[in-house]
Amino acid sequence: MALLTGSKKIKTVVFISGTGSNLKSLIKFSKLKKSPISIKMIISNDYKAKGLQYANIYKIKKKIFNFKNTFSEKKVINELEKSDINLICLAGFMKILSKDFVKNFKGKILNIHPSLLPKYKGLNTHERAIRNKDKYSGCTVHFVNSRLDSGKIINQKKVRIKRLDTPKTLAKRILIQEHKLYPAAIIKALSL
Ligand code: GRF
């Protein structure tokens, strides 16, 4: 990934659309001495995203863009370039980024997905895993390319599906693992 610039921390932005529990875990990780990242900005496509509260709590700059067209994406690109951002972490971000956007930050965008990719790309992953009577599901952190949930896998964590699991109970157990997996994936991605 060749992102490490001397001993300086990598200027990182986190994109969110919802609750932001992964964002919170990344902020906590960024505050550790051993962490290679520093979170400079939080971006959302939804001004109502609950996770935006962490911008206020941790005093991190926040910005809202609608991501509805290339004009809006250009504004995001300008903002990221202005702030010298070198790593983009998607964390529950519900918009698909355009090919041009991804090209602009090639190899610098990571995403977390609540399934063992390449299984269950897209939405409703827990429901699909339970319906198919899978023994395991889990979560994956991967590089983002121009195809949905298809970039190179960085790391994964398996979670056993219990007999009485509902999508909600399974999501809850997987989310706990996501919070550990994303920081570990960042460290690994930087060494690739
Ligand atoms: C996570 O399960 C993530 O993998 C998925 O959306 C959920 C976001 O949760 N893409 P949160 O907003 O980080 O709490």
Side-chain angles (χ1 to χ4, degrees), residues 16-24 51 90-94 111-115 125-126 139-140 171 174-175 178-179:
I16 61 163
S17 300
T19 316
S21 69
N22 276 291
L23 163 67
K24 187 181 175 197
L90 310 184
F93 183 63
M94 301 308 283
N111 181 41
I112 186 152
H113 184 75
S115 80
T125 55
H126 308 305
C139 44
T140 304
I174 291 179
L175 199 57
E178 290 184 37
H179 299 158

Side-chain angles (χ1 to χ4, degrees), residues 159-162 165 168-178:
V159 173
R160 183 181 271 287
I161 301 179
K162 295 181 182 167
D165 259 335
K168 217 171 158 184
T169 57
L170 180 59
K172 209 169 156 191
R173 285 206 314 290
I174 291 179
L175 199 57
I176 293 168
Q177 297 306 323
E178 290 184 37

Side-chain angles (χ1 to χ4, degrees), residues 118-136:
K119 268 192 152 178
Y120 310 127
K121 296 173 183 173
L123 298 174
N124 305 321
T125 55
H126 308 305
E127 246 172 82
R128 287 147 74 198
I130 291 171
R131 201 186 318 128
N132 286 344
K133 303 199 182 331
D134 290 354
K135 281 211 165 98
Y136 292 94

Side-chain angles (χ1 to χ4, degrees), residues 97-111:
L97 298 166
S98 75
K99 268 187 188 159
D100 281 344
F101 187 96
V102 172
K103 221 165 113 191
N104 216 289
F105 296 97
K106 196 165 180 278
K108 295 179 177 181
I109 313 177
L110 310 184
N111 181 41

Side-chain angles (χ1 to χ4, degrees), residues 26 31 34 57 71 73 77-79 85 120 129-130 133 135 148 160 167-168 175 183 185 192:
L26 289 178
K31 294 193 177 297
K34 64 159 196 191
I57 295 173
F71 177 68
E73 272 195 354
I77 294 174
N78 283 342
E79 186 65 45
I85 296 294
Y120 310 127
I130 291 171
K133 303 199 182 331
K135 281 211 165 98
L148 181 69
R160 183 181 271 287
K168 217 171 158 184
L175 199 57
L192 294 176

